[in-house]
Amino acid sequence: MTPSDPDTMMTAMVRAQELTFDTGQRFTILTCDQQLYRVAVQVLWAHPDRFKDMCLRLGGMHALMSFVKAIGTLMAESKLSDILTEMFGGVQKMLSGKKFPQNVRALRLLAEKVLRSIITCGEFKTADDLMSALEERASQSKTVRVWVDVLIKPVFLMMSYVRAEREGDWLLHLATFRQMLPYYFAASHVHYARYGLYYLRTMEKLPPHVLSHFMKGEHVTRHIRGIWNGIWNDQFIESTFMRYGHGSGGIIGITLKEETLKVWALSRHLCCRIEHGLNEMEKGETSHTSQLYHKEEGKARIQADGKDRAGIRQKLEAYVDPLDPNEHPDGIVNIASGRVTTPAVNVHDAVSIGETMLADFEKDLPSGFYNTISKKVTTMAVVGKSLQVGDAKAYDLNAIYARVIALLASDRDVDIKDVLSYELAPVPTSMFKKDGMRIAKGKSALKNSLQVEVSSRNAGDADVTVIDGSALLWTIHWPADGTVADYVTNVKKRVASYLVDSDVYLIFDRYDDYSIKSVTRDGRETGVSRTHRLSLTTKLPAQKVVLSNVENKKQLIRIICNDLTGDRLFHNRSTEKHKLVVTGEDPCPTEIKKEDISIRYDLETYHEEADIMIVQQALKCASEARRLAVVSDDTDVFVLLVHHYEEAKLKLPMKMESPSKGRAVVDIQRTVEKHRDIVKQLLPAHALSGCDTVACCFGVGKGSVVKCLRAGYKLNTIGNVDASFNDVIDQATAFMSACYGVKDAKDMSKTRLYVWGEKNGKGHTSTPNLSVLPPTREAFAENVKRAHYQAILWRILDTNDLPKLNPEDFGWKKDTSNKSLTPSAIPDVSHAINIVMVLFERQALLT
């Protein structure tokens, strides 16, 4: 029989009573983990007279492990796991309650670093002072409330719970466990919620004789005498019998004979005692040896803690400060991405909800002991995992597809053509992941496959240099212990080095609200969300924290532009021979030539992308330059230069070089000459196959794109404002189908069916992953709209010639809470899901 079988448990309880009576002790104290505790309670209730002198204790170590899991459940998708992953392995196991006590240590170190910002801002003489400060901040922000109530306070409770056991403080144990109960209810740990309350109430009514011993600290166990080394009874069992059973000389994996197991279990403690006595005789120690220090006080542990604290602190510096209400919007903000969750999330009220659930549950006792404990707390994980589908939510991208496979395997009459005409998922998985649009990570493959390199010595010195300022910032020395002014000085030195030989056009990105580049600038992609208030005298944060965060980067660019245009000494020293033109957030750039500062109205532009402004100004300078250099690494800039060099029929030597020294120099003129057969189709093909604003298709790389272009496919309607959208769709469908290996296709859904057949044909032992199938006709059309819009912006560089275009008509929708644009996946998928569900139900009826 299994250990959780009631007969097995009753046998164990009877045997425990016998052992207790043999020692002359009246009351039996039996400790179990939750699974066995539940069975023991039921046995006790079934035989109250027989076990009237038995006190059942819930294993403290397992209760703490479940409490850690409750924290992990409530803090899911809050980026808690990402922070811990920076320094610890197996974080998912930690937050599921495993890897004890490493998980307790990790959460303790994290809580220390999260509290660092508030502790350094004030003087706290007592713990009550700190809690008052935390409560004040929590009252101003839901985000602070989440981190205070669901992380910091639980960590304090864990430490208090551990302290109670280490010191043998029975009253502290009961008081702390009482405060832990609401978290079990809030996290839907129903067994610990239900039986934990029963345990608390029974322990509060212990027989006086037992209570007197527990008040003396005799409810804990110790391996040796000492201070601060009391442990829970279940932990003692795990660290002795369970460990020995798996270790050298253990019984686990050796035999299953009942008699042998019985002998080993009943004699193991005697063998250990003999072994311990022999060790004492050998080393000259006595049984009165005491432990007077804890291993946490050791030098190695202190150094390890310091290293882990530093790693956690570095990670936190990139995120929004969870305890600073001034950095938080009205809702609950994800500290990594900076995005606000939906109003449905109520995890900030987790403790109050748990308290209410606890009170309601206890009010219905004893008749309501087995009543259902419903889940009432909505965490950030639910929003992150779910997608709105009509009036319902879907949580698993592959659930519908799996049902389709089941239908096909059942040999029922199912038309796969009809089924595959739907996406079979809440989002088109070929172009979207669970957390958003698929961004093309391999764009550089296009540039690498087409560029014609030239030696930097043979490229010649340019008399006009156009610089991608945003790319330049990453390559300039970042003074780790310096100020913003120190970094700005380094920027001016680099700019001055270019001004020695040529005029310089320095161009920075602009960051508008409701930008079509919102997806790539999102904190989920960059991993940085903390906003700093920068000035010249500010201590410089880490490079990634500044340059990967939109708000921080905007501030830095503004400071650099103001300093470049306002530093007269720099002007006199560096712009005597050549001019500097700086393009920042103002529509018109500023030109500096020694002491003359003027506004370049002829270069006025309202584009936000530096890529477009770089090409605009390069074309403007082409008429007056003998040699022109563009300093940028970006593939989009490369494609635009190649396209417009051919469109403008330029003849001057033009090179594209990296802001990082030692990298390849690209000859744009020779690149155009070499690939003239595909140059005019390159821009729309790049937009359609995936760029910063358009999703790429899973499995379709830039190499396939070039191959199809050389096969003669045309894309001249994409980006043409006068072309009808039907013509755009036709060309896009034919081209992308060719990238999937399907020629002369006119319908993306048919291409999808063909690829399914190829992937599911002879020689294949498993069905293809849903993401490898092309998108359906409707989903593909949404992506083509975005590609068409982006290509229009790239083709028409002059904003004065642009028609009035609304991004919401081209596959984007507004996210007002985050002031951004998000790509629309499919017009409506609820009908598709209903179709599949009907098919599945039909199969069940036929069965």
Side-chain angles (χ1 to χ4, degrees), residues 681-697:
Q681 313 302 324
L682 189 59
L683 183 148
H686 178 52
L688 183 62
S689 58
C691 58
D692 288 346
T693 58
V694 182
C696 65
C697 288

Side-chain angles (χ1 to χ4, degrees), residues 50-287:
R50 184 167 187 173
F51 299 109
K52 62 181 179 180
D53 292 332
M54 177 167 285
C55 300
L56 295 176
R57 288 202 62 202
L58 186 60
M61 183 190 75
H62 288 88
L64 183 57
M65 291 168 66
S66 181
F67 186 70
V68 172
K69 184 178 180 180
I71 297 174
T73 300
L74 296 173
M75 292 293 288
E77 292 300 319
S78 65
K79 295 305 175 181
L80 173 66
S81 60
D82 287 13
I83 299 171
L84 294 177
T85 302
E86 188 73 11
M87 295 306 299
F88 304 101
V91 170
Q92 294 304 322
K93 286 188 176 181
M94 284 186 183
L95 296 181
S96 66
K98 306 295 184 182
K99 297 195 71 172
F100 175 86
Q102 292 93 329
N103 49 13
V104 174
R105 174 177 174 267
L107 290 174
R108 173 175 60 82
L109 294 178
L110 174 59
E112 289 179 19
K113 291 294 99 183
V114 171
L115 284 169
R116 183 176 179 275
S117 62
I118 187 172
I119 290 176
T120 55
C121 293
E123 296 183 3
F124 304 103
K125 296 181 179 179
T126 66
D128 290 338
D129 294 340
L130 175 61
M131 295 309 299
S132 297
L134 290 173
E135 282 297 323
E136 181 181 355
R137 295 195 178 201
S139 65
Q140 303 172 36
S141 165
K142 292 180 179 179
T143 304
V144 178
R145 175 62 68 189
V146 171
W147 283 80
V148 169
D149 282 1
V150 190
L151 176 69
I152 294 175
K153 287 184 178 179
V155 168
F156 288 169
L157 288 176
M158 285 193 307
M159 294 300 100
S160 178
Y161 192 66
V162 171
R163 177 185 175 184
E165 210 67 15
R166 295 290 183 267
E167 296 181 347
D169 190 332
W170 177 245
L171 295 181
L172 181 60
H173 168 80
L174 293 181
T176 305
F177 190 77
R178 167 59 183 83
Q179 295 179 69
M180 292 164 61
L181 281 175
Y183 291 91
Y184 293 130
F185 278 91
S188 294
H189 287 204
V190 293
H191 294 308
Y192 270 97
R194 179 177 286 116
Y195 288 94
L197 179 60
Y198 172 80
Y199 165 72
L200 177 67
R201 296 303 179 228
T202 55
M203 292 298 100
E204 290 174 342
K205 298 177 180 179
L206 286 173
H209 178 72
V210 176
L211 180 60
S212 66
H213 284 278
F214 280 15
M215 292 295 290
K216 297 175 184 178
E218 296 177 10
H219 61 288
V220 304
T221 51
R222 290 180 171 87
H223 286 292
I224 60 174
R225 290 184 175 87
I227 58 173
W228 192 259
N229 64 352
I231 59 175
W232 299 279
N233 297 337
D234 55 333
Q235 184 180 4
F236 189 89
I237 296 169
E238 293 280 352
S239 58
T240 53
F241 274 86
M242 299 298 290
R243 189 181 70 178
Y244 299 150
H246 287 86
S248 177
I251 198 68
I252 305 300
I254 303 299
T255 181
L256 293 177
K257 293 181 179 179
E258 292 186 11
E259 193 62 30
T260 306
L261 289 170
K262 186 187 300 183
V263 171
W264 186 91
L266 296 178
S267 64
R268 184 63 191 176
H269 64 291
L270 297 175
C271 295
C272 289
R273 186 153 189 171
I274 294 172
E275 182 183 6
H276 182 66
L278 292 172
N279 287 333
E280 287 182 348
M281 292 171 62
E282 179 184 1
K283 298 178 181 179
E285 298 175 347
T286 69
S287 59

Side-chain angles (χ1 to χ4, degrees), residues 312-372:
I312 293 172
R313 178 181 175 184
Q314 184 179 8
K315 189 73 173 180
L316 285 171
E317 285 177 349
Y319 292 167
V320 171
D321 186 349
L323 298 186
D324 186 356
N326 296 321
E327 295 186 18
H328 305 156
D330 292 337
I332 300 174
V333 65
N334 184 307
I335 67 167
S337 67
R339 298 183 70 84
V340 181
T341 60
T342 64
V345 176
N346 63 349
V347 68
H348 58 289
D349 292 326
V351 177
S352 59
I353 292 173
E355 288 282 4
T356 303
M357 294 173 69
L358 170 61
D360 292 343
F361 178 77
E362 188 167 21
K363 183 175 61 177
D364 293 336
L365 293 179
S367 60
F369 186 80
Y370 292 108
N371 286 352
T372 301

Side-chain angles (χ1 to χ4, degrees), residues 524-724:
R524 288 176 296 182
E525 291 292 328
T526 64
V528 177
S529 60
R530 175 170 291 193
T531 301
H532 293 264
R533 296 181 180 87
L534 301 180
S535 67
L536 286 171
T537 57
T538 305
K539 185 181 183 304
L540 194 63
Q543 184 184 46
K544 184 179 179 181
V545 172
V546 177
L547 299 185
S548 297
N549 179 278
V550 169
E551 292 302 321
N552 294 335
K553 195 172 183 180
K554 283 169 64 176
Q555 294 180 67
L556 181 63
I557 290 173
R558 189 179 300 120
I559 291 170
I560 292 172
C561 291
N562 290 339
D563 202 76
L564 285 172
T565 56
D567 188 344
R568 296 290 183 177
L569 182 60
F570 170 76
H571 300 167
N572 290 328
R573 288 179 176 177
S574 303
T575 63
E576 184 176 359
K577 294 182 180 180
H578 298 99
K579 63 187 177 185
L580 170 64
V581 180
V582 180
T583 304
E585 59 187 0
D586 295 326
C588 298
T590 301
E591 180 179 306
I592 304 155
K593 184 68 167 66
K594 206 171 182 181
E595 295 184 356
D596 296 330
I597 300 177
S598 58
I599 305 299
R600 290 290 299 269
Y601 292 103
D602 61 316
L603 296 178
E604 180 182 15
T605 180
Y606 291 90
H607 278 293
E608 65 162 330
E609 289 186 70
D611 305 347
I612 295 176
M613 292 184 284
I614 288 168
V615 179
Q616 277 182 325
Q617 297 189 20
L619 293 176
K620 190 77 174 180
C621 298
S623 59
E624 59 188 56
R626 289 179 290 103
R627 288 180 178 273
L628 195 145
V630 175
V631 179
S632 176
D633 265 333
D634 195 270
T635 301
D636 293 352
V637 174
F638 169 78
V639 171
L640 285 168
L641 285 174
V642 168
H643 175 85
H644 286 286
Y645 189 97
E646 172 68 8
E647 284 290 311
K649 302 187 184 305
L650 298 179
K651 300 296 182 182
L652 85 161
M654 180 185 293
K655 65 179 180 179
M656 180 179 178
E657 60 186 53
S658 171
S660 299
K661 301 298 181 184
R663 294 189 180 179
V665 177
V666 181
D667 189 323
I668 297 299
Q669 184 181 27
R670 290 171 59 185
T671 300
V672 171
E673 292 172 355
K674 181 178 179 180
H675 304 291
R676 185 160 269 128
D677 59 325
I678 64 170
V679 163
K680 291 189 176 181
Q681 313 302 324
L682 189 59
L683 183 148
H686 178 52
L688 183 62
S689 58
C691 58
D692 288 346
T693 58
V694 182
C696 65
C697 288
F698 183 85
V700 177
K702 295 296 183 180
S704 301
V705 171
V706 174
K707 183 178 178 181
C708 291
L709 287 178
R710 297 207 185 279
Y713 286 91
K714 302 297 181 183
L715 294 168
N716 54 293
T717 59
I718 297 179
N720 184 345
V721 292
D722 297 323
S724 71

